[in-house]
Amino acid sequence: MRATIIHGPGDIRVEDRDYPAVQLPTDAVVRVTAACVCGSDLWPYRGVKPVRHASAIGHEFVGVVESTGADVSSLRAGDFVIAPFVVSCGQCPQCLNGVTVACDRLAGWGGTDDAGLAVDGGQGQAVRVPLAASTLVKVPGVTEPDAKLRNSLLTLSDVMATGHHAAVSAQVGPGRTVVVVGDGAVGLCGVLAAKRLGAERIIAMSRHADRQAVAREFGATDVVEERGDDGVAKVRELLGGVLADSVLECVGTKESMEQALHSARPGGALGFVGVPTGGAEIPLRYLFDKNIAVSGGMAPARTYIPELLKDVLSGAINPGRVFDVEMPLEEAAEAYKAMDERRAIKVLLTP
Amino acid sequence: MRATIIHGPGDIRVEDRDYPAVQLPTDAVVRVTAACVCGSDLWPYRGVKPVRHASAIGHEFVGVVESTGADVSSLRAGDFVIAPFVVSCGQCPQCLNGVTVACDRLAGWGGTDDAGLAVDGGQGQAVRVPLAASTLVKVPGVTEPDAKLRNSLLTLSDVMATGHHAAVSAQVGPGRTVVVVGDGAVGLCGVLAAKRLGAERIIAMSRHADRQAVAREFGATDVVEERGDDGVAKVRELLGGVLADSVLECVGTKESMEQALHSARPGGALGFVGVPTGGAEIPLRYLFDKNIAVSGGMAPARTYIPELLKDVLSGAINPGRVFDVEMPLEEAAEAYKAMDERRAIKVLLTP
């Protein structure tokens, strides 16, 4: 099969790999029908995260079950499934608490599972899925989704689940005022999640016309282009002199974290899903003085998917709108380039 | 009247001051029937917080309304009232959001109000209370509480409200497992608050037999004396291999904050009410990796009092148990000494 391999910073190649097979009774093999490039895939691509050896990459995919191990009774060949961005067992205390991203048997796509076996990356033609019954989510009644539905299902792998996690962590609910920092796919999904959870006012911080348009489509009531103190002042002005009840931080840099923190009112809540980089910190004394709640981290996508899936299937939300470019898998290198240069919000790859 | 004045580190004197009078139409004058010394009063006493000039001290008191300004229609002479530890207006966006400690017209006892007038300290015979209608809470049906009730009412000024804030911030609720770091009056009230909110398991971290006894009386199911990694290991052992759902941090030092953070399970919540000192910080990456929620700060006592008062009046909770020493106001200097040397959990002063 063909699969995307990262060899080093800036070095993405699509290569031949053995077609995967069921190796453990808890495995399934999934034929990938759509995958995509994540903002976090750009860290090794940009050399921010070291690439120690060539490895399969990609952690967002949907597809069709081709075969299952003897212990996988809840799935069968032909099922259309969504793969969350990590493997989880569903039985350890962490999974039972809903924190599947802290699973005792956690494994990542393109890494190795807890049996020491290699796990395929998501940007390829097929994947061996460990702990398939607890990891994959079957899409009921769907075998061949059209492109629109497929795209939205694919966002549940990561970006829509992550935007939802930011909104939940920021305590978004009916009547709340919301600021979203970050206009990447996750930030845009954060806008959609805030809207879905009943926010009254949603301010998207964005300077790009194409992203602003998606934000408005997703429910943003206002767009703020200013940053730093000017951005905070603008938020305060839009909200009648008070800062936001809920702030979603969807970037992870020092600047974006400050922007987010300073946009929250006393007693407000900050949900952060951008992986903290470049010295991003939260001064404890500021939290104390302002009584601001901070919560977030990797989204437990597996926990959220059933709830979000219902709204995707009913057409209530259309997060697949974040894909503005589609390319064949063979052009994965160009997909990374387009994301890196911010020519695309998010690129979908079809194997 | 007699009032407690701090002149410098270690220098507490009870002196004569003018008896307060109503100065603004929104004022009330309250005759103090009980006051107390707070852990935070020890910062200037210990020289941790500078004492720039001699000033009235004390921010926790209960007493009887003696006179009211023309605009104070909800209170009358003879009412028994609880004073929260700050003055708040009840009408600004912060107060309407319940965050009375961030009130636009905030004032502190022993400081000055927003009209620039001096405000008496709580450790004295009487106090001019600015914004009396929104600041004070009348105790219905009570004019002369007995000592037991009086003591519990006095805790609502600060320590019980603060323990409750820690528990609420740590998302304590039915079935949750809880660790409380800090065995001062606030930590002990945190235990009581956790019990009141339905926690299933409450582990008090304490090395002092007298405090352990109060903790158990308040609902602690377990006591852990170990600290650092040993303390965390003990918590994990007691909870069957998993860390706590909710952790209350009631100290504020670097060590206690680490203890608290490392006692929370993935996806758990940390409520902190100890004022961060000595380099206490929360590494953002740790929060991200563990999906731990952090929330806290100064307790909006004014917001919480009505709810807690109901349970004090019904006898459901008896937080006044934290007072283990009672002294006449004239012995305030000795009261500070006893608290400083940890010979007392909390000292009550009677003017």
Side-chain angles (χ1 to χ4, degrees):
Chain A
M1 67 158 179
R2 303 288 287 168
T4 307
I5 310 294
I6 183 163
H7 285 263
D11 187 359
I12 294 285
R13 307 180 206 167
V14 178
E15 301 178 348
D16 286 324
R17 282 290 183 275
D18 287 341
Y19 203 91
V22 165
Q23 297 187 50
L24 298 169
T26 46
D27 287 348
V29 170
V30 171
R31 177 172 57 80
V32 176
T33 59
C36 51
V37 182
C38 182
S40 66
D41 290 330
L42 296 180
W43 307 333
Y45 183 79
R46 288 174 176 158
V48 176
K49 190 176 156 188
V51 181
R52 291 208 183 74
H53 48 81
S55 59
I57 191 165
H59 54 262
E60 300 155 286
F61 63 97
V62 293
V64 177
V65 174
E66 288 196 323
S67 56
T68 54
D71 294 351
V72 185
S73 57
S74 56
L75 296 170
R76 63 180 64 193
D79 285 346
F80 192 87
V81 290
I82 302 165
F85 65 86
V86 290
V87 167
S88 59
C89 77
Q91 296 173 354
C92 71
Q94 279 59 253
C95 284
L96 294 176
N97 281 326
V99 195
T100 49
V101 288
C103 173
D104 287 352
R105 302 183 64 188
L106 193 71
W109 311 108
T112 50
D113 62 17
D114 70 337
L117 300 173
V119 180
D120 303 290
Q123 295 159 7
Q125 289 185 307
V127 174
R128 179 184 71 89
V129 177
L131 306 174
S134 49
T135 298
L136 298 171
V137 180
K138 179 184 163 170
V139 182
V142 172
T143 47
E144 288 183 43
D146 60 22
K148 186 180 165 193
L149 175 58
R150 176 201 64 187
N151 293 8
S152 283
L153 294 174
L154 178 56
T155 65
L156 302 187
S157 260
D158 185 343
V159 285
M160 183 59 204
T162 297
H164 178 67
H165 190 48
V168 168
S169 299
Q171 303 173 15
V172 174
R176 300 268 287 189
T177 58
V178 176
V179 164
V180 179
V181 177
D183 62 359
V186 170
L188 294 170
C189 286
V191 169
L192 183 58
K195 175 73 180 174
R196 180 180 169 275
L197 291 168
E200 183 183 291
R201 195 83 181 264
I202 304 170
I203 301 173
M205 311 281 284
S206 172
R207 291 178 161 176
H208 302 84
D210 55 337
R211 291 156 194 252
Q212 292 175 0
V214 180
R216 291 207 183 264
E217 203 176 304
F218 277 1
T221 52
D222 305 87
V223 168
V224 168
E225 297 204 343
E226 292 85 347
R227 294 193 185 171
D229 291 346
D230 291 346
V232 171
K234 192 77 196 177
V235 166
R236 195 191 292 275
E237 186 195 319
L238 285 169
L239 297 180
V242 190
L243 293 169
D245 299 325
S246 297
V247 182
L248 282 59
E249 200 289 326
C250 305
V251 184
T253 62
K254 190 168 161 34
E255 292 71 26
S256 63
M257 194 60 78
E258 277 177 18
Q259 187 78 60
L261 198 56
H262 296 160
S263 299
R265 68 159 169 86
L270 169 65
F272 75 107
V273 293
V275 186
T277 49
E281 280 302 341
I282 297 269
L284 200 56
R285 184 63 201 232
Y286 189 88
L287 290 193
F288 185 90
D289 289 346
K290 304 278 181 187
N291 257 288
I292 292 170
V294 171
S295 177
M298 277 208 290
R302 181 60 182 83
T303 303
Y304 292 142
I305 290 174
E307 170 189 355
L308 298 171
L309 176 57
K310 225 178 289 175
D311 282 5
V312 165
L313 292 176
S314 77
I317 56 172
N318 179 28
R321 180 69 180 78
V322 295
F323 294 109
D324 54 345
V325 178
E326 183 179 326
M327 296 182 185
L329 175 65
E330 291 298 326
E331 290 173 27
E334 172 54 24
Y336 274 75
K337 209 150 175 267
M339 294 272 294
D340 182 41
E341 295 168 2
R342 300 203 80 185
R343 282 185 279 118
I345 299 176
K346 196 165 177 76
V347 182
L348 185 138
L349 295 170
T350 48
Chain B
M1 70 157 178
R2 303 288 286 168
T4 306
I5 311 295
I6 184 163
H7 285 263
D11 188 358
I12 294 286
R13 305 178 207 169
V14 178
E15 300 178 350
D16 287 324
R17 281 292 182 276
D18 288 340
Y19 203 89
V22 164
Q23 296 187 53
L24 298 170
T26 46
D27 286 350
V29 169
V30 171
R31 176 173 57 81
V32 176
T33 59
C36 51
V37 182
C38 184
S40 67
D41 291 330
L42 297 179
W43 306 333
Y45 183 78
R46 288 173 175 160
V48 176
K49 191 177 155 185
V51 181
R52 291 208 182 75
H53 49 80
S55 60
I57 191 166
H59 55 261
E60 299 157 286
F61 62 98
V62 293
V64 177
V65 173
E66 288 196 321
S67 55
T68 53
D71 294 351
V72 185
S73 57
S74 56
L75 295 170
R76 60 180 64 190
D79 284 347
F80 192 89
V81 290
I82 302 165
F85 66 87
V86 290
V87 167
S88 58
C89 77
Q91 294 170 354
C92 70
Q94 280 59 253
C95 284
L96 294 176
N97 280 327
V99 195
T100 49
V101 290
C103 173
D104 287 351
R105 303 183 64 189
L106 193 73
W109 312 108
T112 49
D113 63 18
D114 72 335
L117 301 172
V119 180
D120 303 292
Q123 294 159 8
Q125 290 185 307
V127 174
R128 179 184 71 88
V129 177
L131 306 175
S134 49
T135 298
L136 298 171
V137 180
K138 179 183 164 171
V139 182
V142 171
T143 48
E144 289 183 41
D146 61 22
K148 185 180 165 194
L149 176 57
R150 178 202 62 188
N151 293 8
S152 282
L153 295 174
L154 179 55
T155 64
L156 302 187
S157 261
D158 186 343
V159 284
M160 183 60 204
T162 298
H164 177 69
H165 190 47
V168 168
S169 299
Q171 303 174 14
V172 174
R176 298 269 288 189
T177 59
V178 177
V179 164
V180 180
V181 177
D183 62 0
V186 169
L188 295 170
C189 285
V191 170
L192 184 58
K195 174 74 180 173
R196 180 179 169 276
L197 292 169
E200 183 183 291
R201 195 82 180 267
I202 304 171
I203 301 174
M205 310 282 284
S206 173
R207 290 177 162 178
H208 302 84
D210 55 337
R211 292 157 191 252
Q212 291 175 1
V214 179
R216 289 205 183 266
E217 202 176 302
F218 277 0
T221 52
D222 306 87
V223 169
V224 167
E225 298 204 344
E226 291 84 348
R227 293 193 185 172
D229 291 346
D230 292 345
V232 172
K234 191 79 195 177
V235 166
R236 195 189 292 274
E237 184 194 319
L238 285 169
L239 298 180
V242 189
L243 293 169
D245 298 323
S246 296
V247 182
L248 282 59
E249 199 290 326
C250 305
V251 184
T253 62
K254 189 169 160 40
E255 292 71 24
S256 64
M257 195 61 76
E258 276 177 17
Q259 187 78 63
L261 198 56
H262 296 160
S263 299
R265 68 159 169 85
L270 169 65
F272 76 108
V273 294
V275 186
T277 49
E281 281 302 340
I282 297 266
L284 200 58
R285 185 62 203 232
Y286 189 87
L287 292 193
F288 185 91
D289 289 344
K290 303 277 180 189
N291 257 288
I292 292 170
V294 172
S295 177
M298 279 208 290
R302 182 60 182 83
T303 303
Y304 291 142
I305 290 174
E307 169 188 356
L308 298 170
L309 176 56
K310 226 178 287 175
D311 282 5
V312 165
L313 292 175
S314 76
I317 57 171
N318 179 28
R321 180 71 180 76
V322 295
F323 293 108
D324 55 345
V325 178
E326 183 178 327
M327 294 182 187
L329 176 63
E330 291 299 325
E331 290 174 28
E334 172 55 23
Y336 274 76
K337 209 152 176 268
M339 292 273 294
D340 181 42
E341 294 168 2
R342 299 204 82 183
R343 283 184 279 118
I345 298 176
K346 195 165 178 73
V347 183
L348 185 138
L349 295 170
T350 49

